[in-house]
Amino acid sequence: MTLDLGLLLVCILGVGFLAQWLAWRVRLPAILFLLPAGILMGPVVGVLAPDRLLGPLLFPVVSLAVALILFEGSLTLRFSELREIGRAVRGLVTYGAVIAVFLLGVAAHYLAGLSWEVALLFGALTCVTGPTVIAPMLRTVRPNARIANTLRWEGIVIDPLGALFAVLVYEAIVSRHQGHTIGVFLAVVASGVLVGLLAAWTLAFLLRRQMIPEYLRNYGTLVAVLLAFTVSNAITHESGLLAVTIMGIALGNMRGVHIDDILDFKENLTTLLVSTLFILLAARLSWPLPDGVLWSGIVIFLVAQLVVRPVTAVLASIGSALSWRERALIAWIAPRGIVAAAVSALFALKLEALGMPGARQLVPLVFILIIGTVVVQSATARPLARWLNVAEPDPNGVLIYGSDQAARVVARALVDAGFHVVVADEHWDGIRQARMEGLPTFFGFPASSYAERHLDLTGVGRLLAMSNNRERNALSCVYYRQEFGRGKVYRLTNDDAQATDGRVQLGGDLAAPALFEAGMTHERFLERLADGWRIKSTRLTATFDWPNFIEQYGSPTVLLFGVEEKGALRVASEKRELEPRPGWTVIALVPPEAAP
């Protein structure tokens, strides 16, 4: 079965998008859907043959894509974060990773028959757990804060470090196989490091001095990364991957270089590349797999899951504050992801070209381990967390940005209704008053880089932007829309003009649903509180329903929230009028003459 080339390329992009969308919808890692999609399109159905489709372009395309993936991953590593992470994370990403490489290499050598060189490369590739697989799994598992932070930081830190380690192992193998001396290997490493540092310094110099216009920064960075990769390879063969990894680490740690837009662009580009790359690489697999590969891969997965990860987790957490229950869950969760799949496929292509024995087994073994860890851990981690009593409840908590009287009375009403609330603000006076009232607080702007590291959002699933700063409210909504979802962020309109005048209304992605009712503004809310209005919480019944509530407290009553019988919070907004039912608890702002 053959398809037109253009139609086939569009199908690859479309299938990749559907896999990513499905992963987002069911909150599972996208790899779980991308790899089977590639196998289905390739060896099973036969519509996709990457070697025939791309021909001599296959190797350069894969190489450049992997270079961009490694650069994006290494760009997120901050040396300052290495000092801030706990003892357990430091153990997992240092000597724990070395132990994992050795044990996985031993398993691959004795169980799959790989040479020691390829087996150690397998270990270096599969010791990595990345944030792209950890993040969706944590959203599903919802462990407590210490477990979530440990696993999240492990994925963030070990992703670029593991890639760097795998590249070094690969360079050593190639140098030895080609009869190169240790001097040649050191020259490869030195070339990659120097080219990477020079490229990072040059790009940073241009960015700091505004020599690249804003709209060309992403384009220029893309060109710089690919140029560093190809120039380094031209100077010293096979040093390009090391160069882009060093370039990303260096650029991400330079002061005065604003890389947020670049990082966003690279993340979007990486999503596209990963989706396309995984489908192409999975389509190259022989199916059914060669004799012995499937069973040896399954046994290696069992060893990795039941022996390697528990051993490394226990040794790495010695002396930490983690309980045995927390260590047990950490010892179970270690899904492999993007770096392992993408880099292993590239290395396999290169090693096959060199005639290295066992190179063809590398990719299927890595893919079996990826699929095994993602499937098994996604299916079992949540029940295990509950059994160990280390799982957090559903994210029904609320983050309130703002700490003036309006924000505090709303926070108090939600706390009294049994919800976890965090009041966040960069103004100390309001935060101090909130603390005096016994409210949980965070001193700082909730969309800041400081908040990324220190604001604990465990159990929190909504944002109410209620500060008196319109622009910061909008920024908070845009920021937390990615974290909580578009339907879970709200803002309190700041002035009457903003609510009615189209010339000053926020538009596009800046406009989150307005809280409570049409015309309700921050100033009006404060005025009503000053006039004696109070918040009233009442459980509705069949004999005292919402119309009875309105009749008792008056038609000016403003419904703020509804709490369903099962405890789910419903937020009243201008675009979503609530219809409280018997059994709900309503939280409303009632006039002073009606308040008891």
Side-chain angles (χ1 to χ4, degrees), residues 120-170:
L120 288 176
L121 180 59
F122 172 85
L125 290 167
T126 54
C127 74
V128 177
T129 62
T132 55
V133 285
I134 284 292
M137 189 171 292
L138 290 179
R139 284 196 293 268
T140 302
V141 178
R142 293 197 300 274
N144 65 33
R146 291 202 292 188
I147 295 174
N149 289 337
T150 299
L151 292 173
R152 182 173 62 88
W153 277 111
E154 180 196 8
I156 291 172
V157 175
I158 203 173
D159 203 34
L161 290 182
L164 177 59
F165 189 57
V167 169
L168 291 175
V169 172
Y170 167 76

Tab-separated table of all heavy atoms in Angstrom, residues 120-170:
chain	number	residue	atom	x	y	z
A	120	LEU	N	26.606	-1.089	27.862
A	120	LEU	CA	26.790	0.100	28.692
A	120	LEU	C	26.126	1.322	28.063
A	120	LEU	O	25.610	2.200	28.771
A	120	LEU	CB	28.282	0.355	28.917
A	120	LEU	CG	28.984	-0.640	29.855
A	120	LEU	CD1	30.473	-0.347	29.919
A	120	LEU	CD2	28.366	-0.579	31.251
A	121	LEU	N	26.130	1.384	26.726
A	121	LEU	CA	25.412	2.464	26.051
A	121	LEU	C	23.912	2.347	26.329
A	121	LEU	O	23.236	3.351	26.578
A	121	LEU	CB	25.683	2.422	24.547
A	121	LEU	CG	24.980	3.496	23.709
A	121	LEU	CD1	25.380	4.891	24.155
A	121	LEU	CD2	25.274	3.304	22.222
A	122	PHE	N	23.403	1.123	26.300
A	122	PHE	CA	21.996	0.885	26.648
A	122	PHE	C	21.708	1.373	28.070
A	122	PHE	O	20.695	2.029	28.333
A	122	PHE	CB	21.680	-0.605	26.522
A	122	PHE	CG	20.316	-0.988	27.029
A	122	PHE	CD1	19.200	-0.881	26.210
A	122	PHE	CD2	20.146	-1.461	28.328
A	122	PHE	CE1	17.947	-1.233	26.679
A	122	PHE	CE2	18.898	-1.812	28.802
A	122	PHE	CZ	17.790	-1.694	27.981
A	123	GLY	N	22.611	1.074	28.994
A	123	GLY	CA	22.435	1.524	30.370
A	123	GLY	C	22.453	3.031	30.487
A	123	GLY	O	21.654	3.618	31.223
A	124	ALA	N	23.361	3.683	29.744
A	124	ALA	CA	23.444	5.144	29.795
A	124	ALA	C	22.191	5.793	29.221
A	124	ALA	O	21.726	6.838	29.705
A	124	ALA	CB	24.679	5.625	29.026
A	125	LEU	N	21.611	5.179	28.194
A	125	LEU	CA	20.408	5.739	27.578
A	125	LEU	C	19.167	5.548	28.441
A	125	LEU	O	18.300	6.427	28.506
A	125	LEU	CB	20.170	5.074	26.209
A	125	LEU	CG	21.155	5.424	25.094
A	125	LEU	CD1	20.982	4.471	23.921
A	125	LEU	CD2	20.949	6.861	24.637
A	126	THR	N	19.096	4.410	29.121
A	126	THR	CA	17.844	4.068	29.816
A	126	THR	C	17.869	4.385	31.303
A	126	THR	O	16.918	4.042	32.018
A	126	THR	CB	17.533	2.572	29.621
A	126	THR	OG1	18.671	1.790	30.036
A	126	THR	CG2	17.216	2.274	28.174
A	127	CYS	N	18.900	5.058	31.781
A	127	CYS	CA	18.889	5.497	33.180
A	127	CYS	C	18.136	6.810	33.336
A	127	CYS	O	17.943	7.298	34.446
A	127	CYS	CB	20.313	5.646	33.713
A	127	CYS	SG	21.186	7.112	33.098
A	128	VAL	N	17.688	7.381	32.205
A	128	VAL	CA	17.109	8.728	32.198
A	128	VAL	C	15.595	8.669	32.321
A	128	VAL	O	14.921	7.933	31.602
A	128	VAL	CB	17.490	9.469	30.901
A	128	VAL	CG1	16.833	10.826	30.845
A	128	VAL	CG2	19.000	9.602	30.815
A	129	THR	N	15.042	9.450	33.247
A	129	THR	CA	13.600	9.704	33.309
A	129	THR	C	13.400	11.194	33.044
A	129	THR	O	14.001	12.029	33.715
A	129	THR	CB	13.021	9.354	34.687
A	129	THR	OG1	13.631	10.180	35.672
A	129	THR	CG2	13.287	7.906	35.024
A	130	GLY	N	12.585	11.518	32.058
A	130	GLY	CA	12.454	12.914	31.655
A	130	GLY	C	11.172	13.563	32.140
A	130	GLY	O	10.201	12.882	32.478
A	131	PRO	N	11.133	14.899	32.171
A	131	PRO	CA	9.936	15.616	32.629
A	131	PRO	C	8.716	15.411	31.740
A	131	PRO	O	7.590	15.531	32.207
A	131	PRO	CB	10.388	17.078	32.624
A	131	PRO	CG	11.577	17.127	31.724
A	131	PRO	CD	12.240	15.798	31.831
A	132	THR	N	8.918	15.086	30.460
A	132	THR	CA	7.767	14.914	29.573
A	132	THR	C	6.959	13.664	29.897
A	132	THR	O	5.784	13.577	29.521
A	132	THR	CB	8.234	14.835	28.103
A	132	THR	OG1	9.196	13.798	27.967
A	132	THR	CG2	8.827	16.151	27.658
A	133	VAL	N	7.564	12.686	30.564
A	133	VAL	CA	6.810	11.503	30.977
A	133	VAL	C	6.453	11.554	32.459
A	133	VAL	O	5.434	11.023	32.878
A	133	VAL	CB	7.592	10.205	30.658
A	133	VAL	CG1	7.565	9.897	29.193
A	133	VAL	CG2	9.020	10.272	31.156
A	134	ILE	N	7.302	12.213	33.253
A	134	ILE	CA	7.035	12.299	34.689
A	134	ILE	C	5.841	13.215	34.971
A	134	ILE	O	4.969	12.897	35.784
A	134	ILE	CB	8.278	12.803	35.442
A	134	ILE	CG1	9.311	11.683	35.561
A	134	ILE	CG2	7.915	13.315	36.823
A	134	ILE	CD1	8.891	10.552	36.458
A	135	ALA	N	5.787	14.371	34.292
A	135	ALA	CA	4.750	15.366	34.586
A	135	ALA	C	3.332	14.827	34.411
A	135	ALA	O	2.508	14.940	35.329
A	135	ALA	CB	4.968	16.617	33.735
A	136	PRO	N	2.982	14.223	33.249
A	136	PRO	CA	1.611	13.690	33.140
A	136	PRO	C	1.336	12.546	34.096
A	136	PRO	O	0.209	12.374	34.559
A	136	PRO	CB	1.523	13.233	31.672
A	136	PRO	CG	2.923	13.126	31.193
A	136	PRO	CD	3.726	14.094	31.986
A	137	MET	N	2.366	11.750	34.427
A	137	MET	CA	2.157	10.658	35.375
A	137	MET	C	1.883	11.189	36.780
A	137	MET	O	1.027	10.669	37.509
A	137	MET	CB	3.378	9.724	35.376
A	137	MET	CG	3.164	8.445	36.167
A	137	MET	SD	4.498	7.237	35.939
A	137	MET	CE	4.251	6.777	34.229
A	138	LEU	N	2.589	12.252	37.160
A	138	LEU	CA	2.356	12.844	38.480
A	138	LEU	C	0.965	13.457	38.568
A	138	LEU	O	0.336	13.440	39.635
A	138	LEU	CB	3.422	13.895	38.793
A	138	LEU	CG	4.836	13.385	39.056
A	138	LEU	CD1	5.785	14.543	39.318
A	138	LEU	CD2	4.859	12.408	40.223
A	139	ARG	N	0.480	14.022	37.462
A	139	ARG	CA	-0.872	14.579	37.484
A	139	ARG	C	-1.908	13.488	37.714
A	139	ARG	O	-2.963	13.726	38.309
A	139	ARG	CB	-1.165	15.310	36.166
A	139	ARG	CG	-0.488	16.664	36.051
A	139	ARG	CD	-1.094	17.489	34.944
A	139	ARG	NE	-0.831	16.928	33.638
A	139	ARG	CZ	0.208	17.248	32.882
A	139	ARG	NH1	1.091	18.124	33.316
A	139	ARG	NH2	0.380	16.706	31.697
A	140	THR	N	-1.627	12.284	37.237
A	140	THR	CA	-2.552	11.175	37.434
A	140	THR	C	-2.381	10.535	38.800
A	140	THR	O	-3.353	10.237	39.491
A	140	THR	CB	-2.333	10.111	36.335
A	140	THR	OG1	-2.514	10.718	35.058
A	140	THR	CG2	-3.314	8.964	36.487
A	141	VAL	N	-1.138	10.334	39.216
A	141	VAL	CA	-0.859	9.655	40.482
A	141	VAL	C	-1.171	10.560	41.671
A	141	VAL	O	-1.711	10.125	42.684
A	141	VAL	CB	0.615	9.195	40.530
A	141	VAL	CG1	0.941	8.541	41.866
A	141	VAL	CG2	0.894	8.216	39.392
A	142	ARG	N	-0.813	11.839	41.573
A	142	ARG	CA	-1.012	12.831	42.628
A	142	ARG	C	-0.433	12.368	43.971
A	142	ARG	O	-1.161	12.226	44.956
A	142	ARG	CB	-2.486	13.192	42.777
A	142	ARG	CG	-3.060	13.930	41.593
A	142	ARG	CD	-4.361	14.611	41.945
A	142	ARG	NE	-5.376	13.679	42.384
A	142	ARG	CZ	-6.194	13.013	41.566
A	142	ARG	NH1	-6.103	13.189	40.270
A	142	ARG	NH2	-7.100	12.207	42.050
A	143	PRO	N	0.888	12.116	44.014
A	143	PRO	CA	1.497	11.771	45.304
A	143	PRO	C	1.662	13.017	46.165
A	143	PRO	O	1.398	14.139	45.705
A	143	PRO	CB	2.852	11.200	44.898
A	143	PRO	CG	3.185	11.931	43.640
A	143	PRO	CD	1.868	12.172	42.935
A	144	ASN	N	2.144	12.825	47.401
A	144	ASN	CA	2.329	13.989	48.271
A	144	ASN	C	3.468	14.861	47.762
A	144	ASN	O	4.186	14.495	46.830
A	144	ASN	CB	2.552	13.568	49.729
A	144	ASN	CG	3.847	12.792	49.927
A	144	ASN	OD1	4.848	13.019	49.252
A	144	ASN	ND2	3.847	11.873	50.875
A	145	ALA	N	3.620	16.020	48.380
A	145	ALA	CA	4.534	17.037	47.850
A	145	ALA	C	5.972	16.550	47.810
A	145	ALA	O	6.702	16.830	46.857
A	145	ALA	CB	4.424	18.309	48.686
A	146	ARG	N	6.427	15.816	48.833
A	146	ARG	CA	7.835	15.393	48.863
A	146	ARG	C	8.137	14.398	47.744
A	146	ARG	O	9.192	14.480	47.104
A	146	ARG	CB	8.167	14.794	50.228
A	146	ARG	CG	8.174	15.832	51.333
A	146	ARG	CD	8.980	15.413	52.512
A	146	ARG	NE	8.397	14.281	53.240
A	146	ARG	CZ	8.846	13.841	54.401
A	146	ARG	NH1	9.895	14.405	54.961
A	146	ARG	NH2	8.250	12.832	55.009
A	147	ILE	N	7.223	13.483	47.501
A	147	ILE	CA	7.429	12.525	46.405
A	147	ILE	C	7.374	13.243	45.066
A	147	ILE	O	8.230	13.026	44.195
A	147	ILE	CB	6.364	11.415	46.460
A	147	ILE	CG1	6.519	10.581	47.732
A	147	ILE	CG2	6.465	10.515	45.234
A	147	ILE	CD1	5.430	9.555	47.924
A	148	ALA	N	6.365	14.091	44.874
A	148	ALA	CA	6.210	14.799	43.600
A	148	ALA	C	7.428	15.665	43.306
A	148	ALA	O	7.945	15.669	42.177
A	148	ALA	CB	4.936	15.647	43.622
A	149	ASN	N	7.908	16.398	44.297
A	149	ASN	CA	9.067	17.260	44.080
A	149	ASN	C	10.321	16.442	43.781
A	149	ASN	O	11.133	16.817	42.927
A	149	ASN	CB	9.300	18.140	45.307
A	149	ASN	CG	8.230	19.209	45.452
A	149	ASN	OD1	7.584	19.582	44.489
A	149	ASN	ND2	8.022	19.678	46.673
A	150	THR	N	10.499	15.330	44.481
A	150	THR	CA	11.675	14.476	44.240
A	150	THR	C	11.666	13.944	42.815
A	150	THR	O	12.677	14.030	42.096
A	150	THR	CB	11.704	13.311	45.237
A	150	THR	OG1	11.801	13.827	46.565
A	150	THR	CG2	12.889	12.397	44.961
A	151	LEU	N	10.539	13.385	42.376
A	151	LEU	CA	10.461	12.807	41.032
A	151	LEU	C	10.536	13.887	39.954
A	151	LEU	O	11.157	13.686	38.903
A	151	LEU	CB	9.166	12.009	40.888
A	151	LEU	CG	9.080	10.728	41.733
A	151	LEU	CD1	7.698	10.121	41.644
A	151	LEU	CD2	10.128	9.719	41.285
A	152	ARG	N	9.901	15.031	40.217
A	152	ARG	CA	9.930	16.108	39.222
A	152	ARG	C	11.346	16.640	39.039
A	152	ARG	O	11.824	16.811	37.913
A	152	ARG	CB	8.988	17.233	39.656
A	152	ARG	CG	8.890	18.384	38.676
A	152	ARG	CD	7.815	19.365	39.105
A	152	ARG	NE	8.141	19.946	40.406
A	152	ARG	CZ	8.881	21.038	40.566
A	152	ARG	NH1	9.392	21.642	39.511
A	152	ARG	NH2	9.123	21.522	41.765
A	153	TRP	N	12.044	16.893	40.142
A	153	TRP	CA	13.408	17.411	40.040
A	153	TRP	C	14.352	16.370	39.465
A	153	TRP	O	15.276	16.713	38.709
A	153	TRP	CB	13.902	17.864	41.414
A	153	TRP	CG	13.441	19.237	41.759
A	153	TRP	CD1	12.548	19.593	42.720
A	153	TRP	CD2	13.839	20.452	41.116
A	153	TRP	NE1	12.356	20.948	42.719
A	153	TRP	CE2	13.134	21.502	41.755
A	153	TRP	CE3	14.703	20.758	40.071
A	153	TRP	CZ2	13.283	22.823	41.378
A	153	TRP	CZ3	14.841	22.080	39.696
A	153	TRP	CH2	14.151	23.096	40.346
A	154	GLU	N	14.139	15.114	39.777
A	154	GLU	CA	14.980	14.078	39.175
A	154	GLU	C	14.851	14.101	37.664
A	154	GLU	O	15.850	14.054	36.934
A	154	GLU	CB	14.583	12.698	39.705
A	154	GLU	CG	15.422	11.574	39.103
A	154	GLU	CD	14.814	10.194	39.310
A	154	GLU	OE1	13.671	10.107	39.794
A	154	GLU	OE2	15.480	9.201	38.963
A	155	GLY	N	13.606	14.187	37.162
A	155	GLY	CA	13.403	14.215	35.718
A	155	GLY	C	14.014	15.434	35.064
A	155	GLY	O	14.638	15.345	34.003
A	156	ILE	N	13.868	16.614	35.703
A	156	ILE	CA	14.398	17.854	35.134
A	156	ILE	C	15.917	17.821	35.066
A	156	ILE	O	16.536	18.190	34.061
A	156	ILE	CB	13.921	19.061	35.960
A	156	ILE	CG1	12.413	19.269	35.767
A	156	ILE	CG2	14.669	20.329	35.562
A	156	ILE	CD1	11.823	20.314	36.679
A	157	VAL	N	16.548	17.367	36.156
A	157	VAL	CA	18.009	17.431	36.244
A	157	VAL	C	18.678	16.311	35.460
A	157	VAL	O	19.661	16.529	34.750
A	157	VAL	CB	18.449	17.406	37.716
A	157	VAL	CG1	19.969	17.348	37.817
A	157	VAL	CG2	17.923	18.621	38.450
A	158	ILE	N	18.131	15.097	35.551
A	158	ILE	CA	18.823	13.960	34.940
A	158	ILE	C	18.626	13.916	33.436
A	158	ILE	O	19.388	13.268	32.723
A	158	ILE	CB	18.359	12.629	35.574
A	158	ILE	CG1	19.434	11.549	35.381
A	158	ILE	CG2	17.031	12.177	34.996
A	158	ILE	CD1	19.155	10.267	36.102
A	159	ASP	N	17.618	14.622	32.915
A	159	ASP	CA	17.367	14.612	31.467
A	159	ASP	C	18.589	15.114	30.690
A	159	ASP	O	19.140	14.387	29.852
A	159	ASP	CB	16.127	15.443	31.161
A	159	ASP	CG	15.478	15.067	29.839
A	159	ASP	OD1	15.517	13.883	29.487
A	159	ASP	OD2	14.930	15.956	29.168
A	160	PRO	N	19.061	16.345	30.935
A	160	PRO	CA	20.260	16.788	30.215
A	160	PRO	C	21.532	16.087	30.675
A	160	PRO	O	22.420	15.811	29.859
A	160	PRO	CB	20.314	18.292	30.513
A	160	PRO	CG	19.563	18.460	31.775
A	160	PRO	CD	18.482	17.427	31.751
A	161	LEU	N	21.649	15.806	31.978
A	161	LEU	CA	22.853	15.120	32.456
A	161	LEU	C	22.953	13.713	31.867
A	161	LEU	O	24.038	13.263	31.472
A	161	LEU	CB	22.846	15.048	33.985
A	161	LEU	CG	23.058	16.361	34.744
A	161	LEU	CD1	23.062	16.103	36.249
A	161	LEU	CD2	24.364	17.029	34.323
A	162	GLY	N	21.826	13.005	31.814
A	162	GLY	CA	21.830	11.669	31.231
A	162	GLY	C	22.161	11.697	29.755
A	162	GLY	O	22.879	10.835	29.249
A	163	ALA	N	21.626	12.702	29.045
A	163	ALA	CA	21.945	12.832	27.623
A	163	ALA	C	23.437	13.080	27.422
A	163	ALA	O	24.074	12.488	26.538
A	163	ALA	CB	21.133	13.967	27.014
A	164	LEU	N	24.001	13.948	28.262
A	164	LEU	CA	25.427	14.228	28.172
A	164	LEU	C	26.241	12.969	28.442
A	164	LEU	O	27.211	12.671	27.726
A	164	LEU	CB	25.803	15.325	29.178
A	164	LEU	CG	27.285	15.697	29.276
A	164	LEU	CD1	27.802	16.183	27.930
A	164	LEU	CD2	27.486	16.755	30.346
A	165	PHE	N	25.842	12.208	29.441
A	165	PHE	CA	26.559	10.988	29.776
A	165	PHE	C	26.471	9.969	28.637
A	165	PHE	O	27.460	9.317	28.282
A	165	PHE	CB	25.984	10.398	31.070
A	165	PHE	CG	26.786	9.258	31.623
A	165	PHE	CD1	28.127	9.414	31.917
A	165	PHE	CD2	26.208	8.025	31.858
A	165	PHE	CE1	28.877	8.375	32.427
A	165	PHE	CE2	26.940	6.974	32.367
A	165	PHE	CZ	28.287	7.146	32.656
A	166	ALA	N	25.263	9.833	28.045
A	166	ALA	CA	25.094	8.899	26.943
A	166	ALA	C	25.939	9.300	25.743
A	166	ALA	O	26.543	8.439	25.065
A	166	ALA	CB	23.617	8.830	26.545
A	167	VAL	N	26.025	10.592	25.458
A	167	VAL	CA	26.856	11.068	24.348
A	167	VAL	C	28.323	10.736	24.593
A	167	VAL	O	29.032	10.287	23.684
A	167	VAL	CB	26.661	12.587	24.149
A	167	VAL	CG1	27.702	13.137	23.187
A	167	VAL	CG2	25.263	12.877	23.629
A	168	LEU	N	28.790	10.924	25.818
A	168	LEU	CA	30.191	10.611	26.139
A	168	LEU	C	30.466	9.126	25.987
A	168	LEU	O	31.520	8.727	25.465
A	168	LEU	CB	30.515	11.077	27.559
A	168	LEU	CG	30.553	12.591	27.777
A	168	LEU	CD1	30.767	12.919	29.256
A	168	LEU	CD2	31.637	13.238	26.927
A	169	VAL	N	29.551	8.280	26.452
A	169	VAL	CA	29.729	6.838	26.298
A	169	VAL	C	29.780	6.464	24.821
A	169	VAL	O	30.623	5.670	24.387
A	169	VAL	CB	28.600	6.070	27.019
A	169	VAL	CG1	28.674	4.577	26.704
A	169	VAL	CG2	28.676	6.292	28.519
A	170	TYR	N	28.875	7.069	24.043
A	170	TYR	CA	28.853	6.792	22.606
A	170	TYR	C	30.165	7.224	21.943
A	170	TYR	O	30.717	6.493	21.110
A	170	TYR	CB	27.677	7.507	21.969
A	170	TYR	CG	27.740	7.546	20.461
A	170	TYR	CD1	27.437	6.421	19.700
A	170	TYR	CD2	28.132	8.707	19.796
A	170	TYR	CE1	27.526	6.459	18.320
A	170	TYR	CE2	28.217	8.755	18.423
A	170	TYR	CZ	27.908	7.622	17.686
A	170	TYR	OH	28.004	7.650	16.317
